[in-house]
Amino acid sequence: DAGVTQSPTHLIKTRGQQVTLRCSPKSGHDTVSWYQQALGQGPQFIFQYYEEEERQRGNFPDRFSGHQFPNYSSELNVNALLLGDSALYLCASSYWTSGLAKNIQYFGAGTRLSVL
Amino acid sequence: SQQGEEDPQALSIQEGENATMNCSYKTSINNLQWYRQNSGRGLVHLILIRSNEREKHSGRLRVTLDTSKKSSSLLITASRAADTASYFCATDDRGSTLGRLYFGRGTQLTVWP
């Protein structure tokens, strides 16, 4: 049973460029969340996708956008890259349940983005 | 901000010793979770404790939760070099099933052989 997979592992871009990161959730999961983790910090929630729609969003500018496909995989797009966007981008998957969800999230190994 | 804060920021111990790290948060929660991260890689879920629980055990892990003080502690007993990692507590929004997690900055644990 494959866990959460992310690609690419590492990426180097220059300021102003655009980047797309990809995530395949764990088998049986239908919800994908994206987090940004700067060096020495904890992960910060970017947004969450369920049923191909953005369900919740953190405090990130519109330069950050996403998409979820019918097979539940997801993409994170960042436009007009800034130096401050350099970070580890983590994808986490879970499954939706009614009531109080257990909400255990399974994380991928992340994509390390460096903006020069 | 709901973000939790772990204490201490760094902890260094010998193998066989116990490691205790603490987490404080600001608003009401459904659950509190602890995750481990090795060398800037993905996070691994360790244990979840619900807001109506006070203590939970899993192998060498013991977690306590005090909702009146909005705090939690993670105890790792008989630590091993392989426990060297960053440990994060993660909270959610009480009454919300949307699944957003709030993480603190983590505790960097180093276990020396």
Side-chain angles (χ1 to χ4, degrees):
Chain A
D1 176 25
V4 179
T5 58
Q6 291 187 245
S7 63
T9 308
H10 296 87
L11 207 50
I12 299 174
K13 292 286 188 179
T14 56
R15 281 180 297 174
Q17 286 189 312
Q18 178 264 345
V19 68
T20 297
L21 310 181
R22 295 177 175 82
C23 171
S24 292
K26 182 177 170 64
S27 178
H29 286 186
D30 56 9
T31 301
V32 173
S33 300
W34 287 91
Y35 292 83
Q36 180 196 64
Q37 185 178 23
L39 198 62
Q41 304 292 317
Q44 298 293 312
F45 178 82
I46 303 175
F47 43 53
Q48 182 181 80
Y49 277 84
Y50 172 70
E51 291 188 339
E52 301 180 48
E53 290 190 358
E54 183 181 293
R55 189 163 68 173
Q56 196 174 20
R57 188 178 183 93
N59 188 26
F60 279 80
D62 291 344
R63 298 186 297 108
F64 290 77
S65 63
H67 189 78
Q68 185 179 34
F69 299 93
N71 66 352
Y72 307 120
S73 66
S74 177
E75 287 182 350
L76 164 65
N77 300 293
V78 187
N79 294 323
L81 285 167
L82 304 174
L83 295 179
D85 295 331
S86 295
L88 180 69
Y89 288 84
L90 296 163
C91 169
S93 74
S94 56
Y95 60 92
W96 168 254
T97 62
S98 59
L100 293 176
K102 279 191 86 172
N103 197 28
I104 294 173
Q105 299 195 11
Y106 293 80
F107 284 80
T111 294
R112 175 74 62 186
L113 173 64
S114 297
V115 182
L116 305 178
Chain B
S1 170
Q2 167 70 305
Q3 185 175 26
E5 289 296 333
E6 292 87 350
D7 172 66
Q9 290 187 356
L11 182 60
S12 186
I13 60 175
Q14 295 290 128
E15 268 192 329
E17 294 181 339
N18 295 339
T20 300
M21 50 205 88
N22 305 295
C23 167
S24 60
Y25 57 93
K26 296 181 180 177
T27 62
S28 297
I29 61 172
N30 294 319
N31 309 300
L32 184 142
Q33 304 178 56
W34 286 89
Y35 286 82
R36 183 186 74 210
Q37 184 177 40
N38 290 84
S39 301
R41 302 293 287 173
L43 279 74
V44 175
H45 178 263
L46 296 176
I47 193 166
L48 176 149
I49 185 166
R50 298 184 184 277
S51 59
N52 61 355
E53 297 176 317
R54 293 295 169 259
E55 186 170 313
K56 200 162 184 180
H57 296 256
S58 176
R60 295 184 295 113
L61 305 180
R62 171 179 172 258
V63 169
T64 62
L65 179 64
D66 186 336
T67 53
S68 66
K69 295 181 179 178
K70 292 186 170 58
S71 67
S72 173
S73 68
L74 171 67
L75 169 67
I76 304 174
T77 60
S79 61
R80 307 165 182 168
D83 294 328
T84 295
S86 292
Y87 291 82
F88 296 90
C89 69
T91 56
D92 57 11
D93 290 313
R94 182 164 181 80
S96 170
T97 57
L98 296 180
R100 172 179 182 169
L101 294 181
Y102 299 84
F103 290 86
R105 294 186 178 185
T107 292
Q108 172 61 51
L109 173 65
T110 302
V111 182
W112 299 100

